[in-house]
Amino acid sequence: MSLEITKLTARIGARVSGVDVTRPLAPEEAAGIREALNVHKALVLDARGLDDAGQQAFARHFGDLTTAHPTVGAVDGAPNVLPVDSERGRANHWHTDVTFVVNPPQATSLRSLTVPAYGGETLIANAGAAYRDLPEPLRRLADTLWAEHTNDYDYAVPEEDVDEERAAQRARFTSIKYRTAHPVVRVHPLTGERGLFIGGFAQRVVGLSAGESRKILDLLQSYVTRPENVLRHRWSENELVLFDNRITQHYAVDNYDGLPRRLHRVTVAGDVPVGLEGKESYAIEGDASHYTPVAA
């Protein structure tokens, strides 16, 4: 096998070469990429010649696919592909994909189609390293906490900045309301690694007020987004980024002056998160069975 893994930073990210993602992967190639994902959390691959069908086929090496999104429309003719288009909104807040459902995707693939001449980077953070960075008293506290995640996200945007188009986009995003309780510290099912499982959709700590929750979540989140834990990926066209949605967060930087930016996203169905005591996440509101199967 000619697979080559080159680290991009000390704590997160690697470039994978020596593999052609436009054809079916050999079993040892798929296993090697999965192992690299376990170790490095985010991988960058050459995607020249890859189309929507090929991206879906690549992602299927790691499990069943979700549909594009629980509430947002897919690419025409490709129900598993979500257009991440600057004209449809900008995800410039730290989050883990779709944590408001009971079994969020285990992995996310993003393929670049149109990239701006400058800016438009994607930041990806290692939530496992963030957990290890916590001082012991904070770690003990985090180990006991659960948080409610919801797609009814508080964007905190001035009303004058919300035009009709943005209001319609938000209405679609929340057309089905979801609330799910997840452990703040999740145990990775493949590696046993512990990571902070929070991000923008985590709105309240179970048992605490909104104000108390915000202070605790902001404190824990500050460890996730430490520069040492973050890969800043500057996109080129025809690249594929694969990241472990169980133990990362990401942020699309809105710094490209409204220039066109378009990626296609395909996600792999995930398992129900488990906390340190073996308790599984549980849904409070909303049925996502139309969106994703539960991975074994």
Side-chain angles (χ1 to χ4, degrees):
M1 186 174 63
S2 57
L3 205 65
E4 296 182 7
I5 311 296
T6 306
K7 289 181 70 169
L8 295 174
T9 81
R11 291 190 168 189
I12 182 170
R15 185 171 292 277
V16 178
S17 57
V19 61
D20 181 359
V21 298
T22 65
R23 60 168 181 76
L25 300 181
E28 60 271 19
E29 290 176 322
I33 292 172
R34 170 66 83 177
E35 177 60 24
L37 189 63
N38 290 343
V39 172
H40 301 289
K41 310 297 187 288
L43 305 176
V44 181
L45 301 99
D46 182 354
R48 281 175 293 181
L50 197 67
D51 57 12
D52 286 337
Q55 184 177 358
Q56 293 170 82
F58 172 82
R60 282 194 182 95
H61 286 95
F62 309 103
D64 294 331
L65 302 186
T66 73
T67 57
H69 191 273
T71 60
V72 179
V75 170
D76 288 345
N80 304 105
V81 182
L82 180 74
V84 180
D85 194 324
S86 58
E87 294 183 358
R88 291 178 46 154
R90 304 183 182 200
N92 57 331
H93 65 101
W94 282 104
H95 66 288
T96 299
D97 280 336
V98 202
T99 58
F100 45 83
V101 305
V102 73
N103 62 309
Q106 60 163 292
T108 295
S109 70
L110 289 172
R111 177 170 58 94
S112 55
L113 280 74
T114 303
V115 299
Y118 52 85
E121 299 94 342
T122 296
L123 310 182
I124 309 172
N126 183 342
Y131 176 79
R132 292 190 295 274
D133 284 344
L134 292 176
E136 182 62 25
L138 270 183
R139 197 179 307 138
R140 288 199 306 269
L141 173 63
D143 287 347
T144 68
L145 299 177
W146 285 65
E148 289 186 12
H149 296 232
T150 177
N151 62 330
D152 194 6
Y153 177 75
D154 180 8
Y155 287 89
V157 175
E159 286 300 319
E160 59 269 22
D161 290 343
V162 181
D163 57 21
E164 288 187 11
E165 184 177 358
R166 285 191 180 184
Q169 290 168 350
R170 287 191 196 175
R172 283 194 297 273
F173 192 77
T174 57
S175 58
I176 305 173
K177 295 286 181 67
Y178 292 96
R179 276 196 307 142
T180 298
H182 292 300
V184 166
V185 178
R186 180 181 185 176
V187 179
H188 196 289
L190 298 182
T191 66
E193 187 177 1
R194 299 175 181 185
L196 290 175
F197 197 63
I198 44 176
F201 298 122
Q203 294 289 291
R204 183 182 287 245
V205 175
V206 174
L208 299 182
S209 70
E212 291 166 334
S213 298
R214 191 73 271 145
K215 290 174 182 176
I216 290 175
L217 290 170
D218 285 348
L219 176 59
L220 296 175
Q221 181 70 12
S222 71
Y223 284 84
V224 178
T225 58
R226 282 184 167 183
E228 293 84 355
N229 293 333
V230 176
L231 171 68
R232 188 181 187 105
H233 178 64
R234 173 72 176 98
W235 288 96
S236 298
E237 289 187 356
N238 301 310
E239 283 187 318
L240 184 70
V241 171
L242 178 69
F243 53 84
D244 190 335
N245 202 56
R246 292 159 164 159
I247 200 163
T248 62
Q249 290 182 31
H250 56 285
Y251 182 115
V253 185
D254 183 5
N255 60 350
Y256 46 100
D257 289 334
L259 296 170
R261 179 184 185 272
R262 185 180 177 97
L263 313 174
H264 279 185
R265 186 180 92 181
V266 175
T267 51
V268 183
D271 51 311
V272 178
V274 175
L276 297 185
E277 296 180 350
K279 181 181 176 182
E280 292 187 338
S281 301
Y282 55 93
I284 300 169
E285 180 181 3
D287 179 4
S289 57
H290 68 287
Y291 162 64
T292 178
V294 178

